């Protein structure tokens, strides 16, 4: 087996919000290059805060996050923009531009590489070809010329995946990407996400609150309970006892 290569190292990460909520209470784990890591945990466990800290959207209180050798904490200006290019993001609410065509939404992933030319829509032939090819791999070739608001929720999320892949990130963070989709669309979106990240050799960190999806699509799972890592292992290790610990911890205390 190939030696595991650490792409992201999180050490003793703490994050408190004004008002005193400690969302992350000393979180440490590694993310290996090429894996799909799922973060599971109940609502309020700190999953979203963790992802926002990794791409520098949220400042950490203490500890460290190193992405491909670069400390995220304190990055500013050009270096922070580079991090945001290296770290793609997918949200529960899709965050695509509804009045634009599907292909244009996918091309938005190239914006950081173009500056003003991108704003004017002056993308290269190669990038347009690549956007079409990626959309086709996500089974959206019939939708490329449609406005995004004509798509179903699952299709919209696949457009968001295409846009993120066009960005050529080292890491893709997906924050509850299927929370607003029905079970059929959810499985499809996670299946496509897993497949395309493998094909493009992109490391992915996906937060989910549904254990079944985590088991089906994760290479490895981290469990968070009230800001603390309470599980780390493969999908096969996430047994009933581990789930009990993750979700019903407080009920076991006397
Ligand atoms: P999850 O994504 O697992 O549902 P979050 O990361 O959203 O959890 O939230 C973790 C904890 O931090 C919760 O107690 C939540 O209320 C709190 N929290 C999240 N964002 C903020 C914020 N901007 N201001 C204050 N508290 C916050």
């Amino acid at each position: 087996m190939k030696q595991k290569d650490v792409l992201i190292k999180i050490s003793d990460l703490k994050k408190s919000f004004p008002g005193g909520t400690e969302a992350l209470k000393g979180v440490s784990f590694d993310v290996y290059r090429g894996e799909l890591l799922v973060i599971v945990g109940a609502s309020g466990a700190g999953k979203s805060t963790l992802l926002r800290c990794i791409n520098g959207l949220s400042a950490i209180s203490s500890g460290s996050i190193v992405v491909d050798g670069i400390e995220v904490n304190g990055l500013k200006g050009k270096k922070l923009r580079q991090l945001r290019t290296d770290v793609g993001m997918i949200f529960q609410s899709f965050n695509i531009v509804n009045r634009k065509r599907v292909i244009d939404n996918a091309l938005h992933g190239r914006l950081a590489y173009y500056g003003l030319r991108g704003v004017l829509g002056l993308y290269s032939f190669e990038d347009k070809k690549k956007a079409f090819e990626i959309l086709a791999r996500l089974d959206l070739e019939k939708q490329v010329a449609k406005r995004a608001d004509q798509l179903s929720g699952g299709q919209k999320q696949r457009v968001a995946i295409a846009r993120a892949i066009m960005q050529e990130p080292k890491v893709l963070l997906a924050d509850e990407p299927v929370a607003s989709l029905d079970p059929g669309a959810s499985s499809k979106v996670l299946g496509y996400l897993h497949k395309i990240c493998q094909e493009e050799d992109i490391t992915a960190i996906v937060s989910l609150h549904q254990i079944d999806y985590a088991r089906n699509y994760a290479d490895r799972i981290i469990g968070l309970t009230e800001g603390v890592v309470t599980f780390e292992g493969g999908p096969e290790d996430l047994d009933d006892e581990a789930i009990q610990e993750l979700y019903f911890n407080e009920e076991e205390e006397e």
Side-chain angles (χ1 to χ4, degrees):
M1 219 176 99
K2 252 185 7 188
Q3 182 80 22
K4 280 186 179 174
D5 180 7
V6 174
L7 181 64
I8 300 177
K9 191 162 195 64
I10 297 177
S11 315
D12 201 18
L13 171 62
K14 295 185 181 158
K15 169 72 187 177
S16 304
F17 288 104
T21 306
E22 277 185 281
L24 301 170
K25 301 171 185 161
V27 167
S28 303
F29 62 90
D30 292 341
V31 185
Y32 302 113
R33 206 179 282 272
E35 74 175 343
L36 191 153
L37 178 74
V38 169
I39 314 282
V40 288
S43 177
K47 305 181 293 299
S48 183
T49 303
L50 176 60
L51 295 186
R52 290 171 61 82
C53 289
I54 295 174
N55 80 346
L57 271 173
S58 195
I60 71 174
S61 302
S62 66
S64 126
I65 302 175
V66 176
V67 177
D68 206 15
I70 294 175
E71 172 63 60
V72 170
N73 192 19
L75 283 185
K76 288 193 183 75
K78 204 172 158 194
K79 289 193 170 147
L80 182 59
R81 285 198 296 279
Q82 183 59 48
L83 175 78
R84 298 259 168 83
T85 305
D86 288 343
V87 180
M89 194 86 192
I90 292 172
F91 302 90
Q92 174 181 342
S93 52
F94 320 134
N95 286 29
I96 58 173
V97 184
N98 274 319
R99 64 189 163 73
K100 294 237 175 201
R101 291 180 308 170
V102 165
I103 185 96
D104 297 318
N105 270 286
L107 282 162
H108 280 178
R110 300 302 297 163
L111 273 179
Y113 296 92
Y114 276 85
L116 188 60
R117 283 190 307 135
V119 176
L120 297 172
L122 302 175
Y123 297 102
S124 69
F125 176 73
E126 281 71 31
D127 279 342
K128 288 179 189 168
K129 205 170 120 194
K130 180 157 188 218
F132 184 85
E133 182 247 327
I134 286 174
L135 288 165
R137 278 159 62 195
L138 295 165
D139 266 340
L140 290 167
E141 66 267 64
K142 292 201 183 98
Q143 273 72 38
V144 286
K146 284 188 186 162
R147 269 172 57 131
D149 54 10
Q150 292 177 272
L151 305 186
S152 68
Q155 288 173 328
K156 283 183 184 174
Q157 196 59 301
R158 276 144 60 197
V159 174
I161 294 172
R163 181 187 56 196
I165 299 291
M166 285 298 289
Q167 194 180 318
E168 293 180 358
K170 291 177 183 161
V171 190
L172 190 53
L173 307 181
D175 191 6
E176 295 272 2
V178 298
S180 50
L181 302 177
D182 62 53
S186 297
S187 301
K188 226 169 159 176
V189 162
L190 291 170
Y192 280 113
L193 182 65
H194 195 190
K195 180 175 88 109
I196 204 147
C197 285
Q198 264 183 349
E199 289 168 354
E200 298 291 315
D201 204 17
I202 291 171
T203 307
I205 309 179
V206 181
S207 76
L208 294 171
H209 63 268
Q210 307 96 326
I211 293 287
D212 286 351
Y213 294 142
R215 278 190 180 136
N216 285 340
Y217 296 101
D219 294 323
R220 218 155 54 82
I221 299 172
I222 296 280
L224 272 186
T225 310
E226 296 178 3
V228 176
V229 174
T230 49
F231 175 84
E232 183 166 1
E236 67 287 353
D237 303 318
L238 193 60
D239 54 19
D240 290 349
E241 201 181 322
I243 293 167
Q244 178 78 15
E245 177 118 348
L246 259 176
Y247 284 84
F248 308 103
N249 214 10
E250 65 273 21
E251 286 178 15
E252 292 186 339
E253 289 169 10
E254 281 299 308

